[in-house]
Amino acid sequence: MRVEVVLTETDIAQEFTEAMEARDLPEKFFYWFPRSVKEWEALAANPELYGGLAETWGRMTGYAEAMTHHFAGQIPVISFGAGDGTRDRMLMDALKNAGRECAYFPVDASQAMLERACAAADDDDIEVVGIKADISSPVHMVFAADAAEAPRLLVFSGNTMGAFDPLAQIRYVAQCMKTGDRLIVDGELFDEVKTTARRDHPAARRFLWSLLASVGISDADGELRINAKHDERHAGLHLNTRYFRADRDISVTVMGKEMPMERGERIGLNFQYSYTPEAFRWLVQEQGGLQILREHESSDGRFLTAVCSK
Ligand SMILES: C[S@@+](CC[C@H](N)C(=O)[O-])C[C@H]1O[C@@H](n2cnc3c(N)ncnc32)[C@H](O)[C@@H]1O
């Protein structure tokens, strides 16, 4: 298994300590601990929450060959925040069945996720090189995209863009794109009731608690709260923020270092954007400067997936 490392484990451990001290934990850390990875896999496999997206990707496999028919030879597939690569493999297996060969580059901050994506691609006889990098860094993004010559098939799925500032993130992805490249990007569609309710689903809560449990915080120490907000920069940009609030004085151990937390103190957890269809299209077309070639709304109405070109 080959993994190119731009973001080291030492970097992540240092950043995690600093993030805990600042009481603000971004998305990257939620896939770092083994317990979190296990809970993410359970969450991602939950048909109630992700069945619609899986169905979209099933439909897109029928279009994979047409999407890449202008690619000569091997098709490089570069997936930003690839996770275990389940969706990417659906597409690559369809391309393989159509007689095309892929070279796969899963990009992720989580070593455990990369190992899963690389091992599964190996099992499917797909040439694979993992890239351990931070996709919130435009420099890391360009490094990852340069793993192969254009045209490339770029993937940004599972509402991964929504865990960052999407206005900045779509520009970082667009900056990596060259003529002939295709990008598959999705966003979660906002629903007044369901969007917040999905964050409150037991599987989603278990996923969040798994990170806190990894530093010794349990539900006896406090509670998880979810807020719904608007991003005033554009109509139709919604976000859910989450935080842990200590109900008593506690002591957290981070990388062997004791960190006391007083009753009432909070730790900000990863946020997630959702959009109206118009706001998602505005992001891709106006902020990213990309052209939408095709759109797929998931059968449960939760995700809108766009196939784009520069
Ligand atoms: C919501 S999951 C989506 C996984 C996959 N794309 C899918 O559709 O199932 C987000 C993925 O992005 C990765 N990730 C989160 N923050 C990251 C960062 N700053 N740099 C690189 N990867 C990151 C996580 O480790 C995780 O695998």
Side-chain angles (χ1 to χ4, degrees), residues 101-265:
E101 198 188 319
C102 294
Y104 182 41
F105 302 92
V107 184
D108 211 285
S110 161
Q111 178 70 25
M113 287 299 189
L114 278 177
E115 286 169 6
R116 281 165 168 72
C118 291
D122 268 340
D123 289 347
D124 284 2
D125 285 328
I126 297 166
E127 191 183 310
V128 55
V129 179
I131 302 175
K132 189 155 178 283
D134 189 334
I135 58 171
S136 66
S137 153
V139 176
H140 285 207
M141 290 281 283
V142 169
F143 175 89
D146 284 351
E149 298 283 319
R152 302 151 300 181
L153 182 56
L154 308 177
V155 181
F156 206 12
S157 79
N159 198 27
T160 300
M161 180 169 73
F164 302 91
D165 174 356
L167 279 72
Q169 204 63 35
I170 191 69
R171 283 200 297 271
Y172 299 161
V173 181
Q175 277 162 18
C176 296
M177 288 179 71
K178 298 190 175 137
T179 310
D181 285 348
R182 293 291 177 266
L183 167 70
I184 301 175
V185 60
D186 63 31
E188 180 166 347
L189 294 177
F190 173 73
D191 180 283
E192 196 72 48
V193 177
K194 290 183 191 159
T195 302
T196 300
R198 285 180 185 123
R199 269 82 203 163
D200 218 9
H201 190 284
R205 283 186 161 266
R206 274 196 298 276
F207 172 61
L208 293 182
W209 273 114
S210 63
L211 167 55
L212 297 171
S214 301
V215 294
I217 300 176
S218 78
D219 55 3
D221 295 321
E223 58 176 337
L224 280 183
R225 291 203 181 157
I226 304 165
N227 287 328
K229 299 183 176 174
H230 292 124
D231 181 333
E232 300 301 334
R233 290 175 295 174
H234 192 79
L237 297 178
H238 299 264
L239 77 159
N240 283 110
T241 56
R242 285 97 63 106
Y243 63 87
F244 164 78
R245 182 182 171 281
D247 285 344
R248 59 185 187 195
D249 292 352
I250 55 176
S251 181
V252 181
T253 307
V254 181
M255 303 296 136
K257 195 171 160 187
E258 289 278 306
M259 280 189 200
M261 263 189 92
E262 284 177 17
R263 180 170 182 269
E265 254 193 272

Side-chain angles (χ1 to χ4, degrees), residues 4-16 28-29 32 108-111 132-134 140:
E4 303 240 357
V5 179
V6 191
L7 176 71
T8 66
E9 286 298 285
T10 311
D11 292 335
I12 302 177
Q14 176 67 30
E15 288 177 28
F16 181 67
K28 171 169 59 183
F29 303 119
W32 189 40
D108 211 285
S110 161
Q111 178 70 25
K132 189 155 178 283
D134 189 334
H140 285 207

Side-chain angles (χ1 to χ4, degrees), residues 13-28:
Q14 176 67 30
E15 288 177 28
F16 181 67
T17 309
E18 287 165 7
M20 279 298 290
E21 276 165 349
R23 308 281 191 260
D24 187 15
L25 295 175
E27 171 82 350
K28 171 169 59 183

